[in-house]
Every structure is written in C-alpha cells, then in structure tokens.
Amino acid sequence: MEACSSIELRDHLEVLVDVGAARHRTAQDVADLRDLLQRMRTAPDWDGFMRANWALHERIAALSPNAMARAVYTSTLGHLNAASSRFAEDDPASVRYRTERYQVHVDLVEAIADGDEPAVRAAVARHNTTT
C-alpha cells in the first residue's frame, strides 16, 4: 500500500519538479542528464537500468529550485526503489518495458533541455501513465 501512496505523491510532484528543472537547467545539467540516459540505455541488466533510472530522476530533481518539493520528491524515490517490480532478464516483456521507459525518459530530458514547458508536461503525463 505504501508503494501506491509513494507513486501517487511522486506523480503529483513530477510536473512541479520537472518544469522547475526546465526553467533552471544549464548546459552542464543537460549534459549530465544525457549521460544518465546513456547509462539507462546501456545498462546490462534490470538492476542497472533501474539504478540509472533513479539516478536520472534524482538529477532532474536537483535542478528544481523548490527545495520542499525536491526533498519530498526524492524521498518518494527511495520508497519506490524498494518496492519496484522486477522482470526476469529473459522475459520479452522486460525488453519491451525497458525500451518504452527509456524513450519516455529521452522525451522528458529533451523537453527539459529545450526548456519547453508544454513538452515537459506532456512527457510527464506519458511518464506517469506508462509505469
């Protein structure tokens, strides 16, 4: 039950945190986000993919100037990490899930990089409906 509460809270904070990131990102921030995407893309296994995913979200949150939202958001990541589901590495659903989730994160990072708030909101909506 706690994982559901964490997901709901995180989903509500996602727009606030990610729009803040889009408004305040620097060229170095964008480079860091793209490096983390590369880690997601090349992760050799499920655990590596999820570690890169959480690291990406933590880095995005670090860009938000809203300290309260950032703190609550990052604390939900810990709960979600502990409760996240796992796929068997040889399960075709795992490959499909990783491919889809990676693309959702690419779209989010590129919207943040462009400072495109409507695109950030659209990427967040897609992110939050494809979990």
Coordinates of all heavy atoms in Angstrom, one line a residue, residues 24 27 100 124:
H24 N 15.4 26.0 -15.1 CA 16.6 26.4 -14.4 C 17.8 25.6 -14.9 O 18.9 25.7 -14.3 CB 16.4 26.3 -12.9 CG 15.4 27.2 -12.4 ND1 15.7 28.6 -12.1 CD2 14.1 27.1 -12.1 CE1 14.6 29.2 -11.7 NE2 13.6 28.3 -11.7
A27 N 23.7 24.2 -19.4 CA 24.3 23.3 -20.3 C 24.9 22.1 -19.7 O 24.8 21.0 -20.2 CB 25.3 24.1 -21.2
E100 N 10.4 1.0 -23.9 CA 9.4 2.1 -23.8 C 9.8 3.1 -22.7 O 9.6 4.3 -22.9 CB 8.1 1.4 -23.5 CG 7.5 0.7 -24.6 CD 6.2 -0.1 -24.2 OE1 5.8 0.0 -23.1 OE2 5.7 -0.9 -25.1
V124 N 5.7 14.2 -18.9 CA 5.4 13.8 -17.5 C 4.1 13.0 -17.6 O 4.0 11.9 -16.9 CB 5.3 15.0 -16.6 CG1 4.6 14.6 -15.2 CG2 6.7 15.6 -16.3

